Amino acid sequence: MSSNRQDAWSQDEDVLLAEVVLRHIREGGTQLQAFDEVGKKLSRTSAACGFRWNSFVRKQYKSGIELAKKQRKHSKKHSALSKTLEGKPETPKAVSTQDAPEAFSMGSMIQYLQKAEEAVRNEERVRNENSQLTEQISQLQDKLQGAEEELREYEEKYTLLEEDHKSLLAIFEKARKMALLQGNEDKVKFQMDKNGNLQRLNK
């Protein structure tokens, strides 16, 4: 599969990019590794993934980035604590909740769940807004098409009126010339027959 895609990013691709980058942050990896992984999955270059993350996606996941960094920090603390305990003989000791790693505290879990729930609500809101905008665009396109048809009808009517106007001007000009040829324009009278033609009235 080619890795030179240059088409627009979809929302699902943005979500995948965010998930992989956040996972690498939590696990202590680098963003470059995350861009490489996403690039292979989406058939895009690592540079394209990095540009998309820095220019757009990262702004949408500021709280998620902070949370991932905290989890990575807590994970390191817990790992260091485990290594320390492995080198010491087991001794019964009461552990207070204050000494427990923050990553496993109830408050931290609640905060994480609240943020996840908020992210889901935001995504649902964006989807609903996109659906409404799509419907509005469709309605506006229908109105525009109707307006274009009305405009064409008015243009056709205007063309017919303009032709009638020119015909009337030609008829009046012909009548004026006929009156001048008679030598007495004031006494010459004309009337229009049912076919729209001028006829000179006899005295």
Side-chain angles (χ1 to χ4, degrees), residues 147-161:
E148 290 176 347
E149 293 177 356
E150 291 181 1
L151 178 60
R152 284 194 294 269
E153 292 177 359
Y154 283 126
E155 288 177 346
E156 293 175 357
K157 291 179 181 179
Y158 175 77
T159 301
L160 293 175
L161 289 174

Side-chain angles (χ1 to χ4, degrees), residues 2 4 72 96 99-100 119 121 135 137 164 171 180 200:
S2 174
N4 294 323
R72 179 180 62 185
S96 65
D99 296 331
R121 286 198 302 267
E135 183 177 355
I137 291 174
D164 291 343
I171 292 172
L180 291 175
R200 186 169 64 87

Side-chain angles (χ1 to χ4, degrees), residues 8-122:
W9 285 71
S10 67
Q11 185 177 5
D12 292 337
E13 289 177 332
D14 286 340
V15 171
L16 175 62
L17 176 60
E19 289 177 349
V20 174
V21 172
L22 293 177
R23 172 165 56 79
H24 276 266
I25 293 175
R26 286 194 301 268
E27 296 176 355
T30 65
Q31 292 186 7
L32 291 178
Q33 293 172 336
F35 299 153
D36 288 337
E37 179 179 340
V38 176
K40 293 178 181 178
K41 291 182 178 180
L42 300 182
S43 298
R44 295 182 184 273
T45 63
S46 175
C49 296
F51 179 80
R52 182 65 176 178
W53 170 257
N54 291 314
S55 63
F56 178 75
V57 180
R58 183 178 62 180
K59 301 174 184 178
Q60 315 298 323
Y61 290 87
K62 291 182 179 180
S63 59
I65 294 173
E66 294 300 323
L67 181 60
K69 289 180 178 179
K70 289 182 179 179
Q71 290 176 334
R72 179 180 62 185
K73 183 178 179 181
H74 297 156
S75 178
K76 288 182 178 180
K77 287 183 178 179
H78 182 260
S79 177
L81 180 60
S82 298
K83 291 181 180 179
T84 302
L85 293 176
E86 288 177 358
K88 295 181 179 180
E90 294 186 4
T91 53
K93 180 180 179 182
V95 179
S96 65
T97 56
Q98 294 179 349
D99 296 331
E102 185 179 355
F104 298 95
S105 67
M106 182 63 68
S108 178
M109 290 298 297
I110 292 176
Q111 184 181 15
Y112 176 80
L113 292 175
Q114 288 175 342
K115 289 182 180 293
E117 184 180 1
E118 182 180 358
V120 171
R121 286 198 302 267
N122 289 337

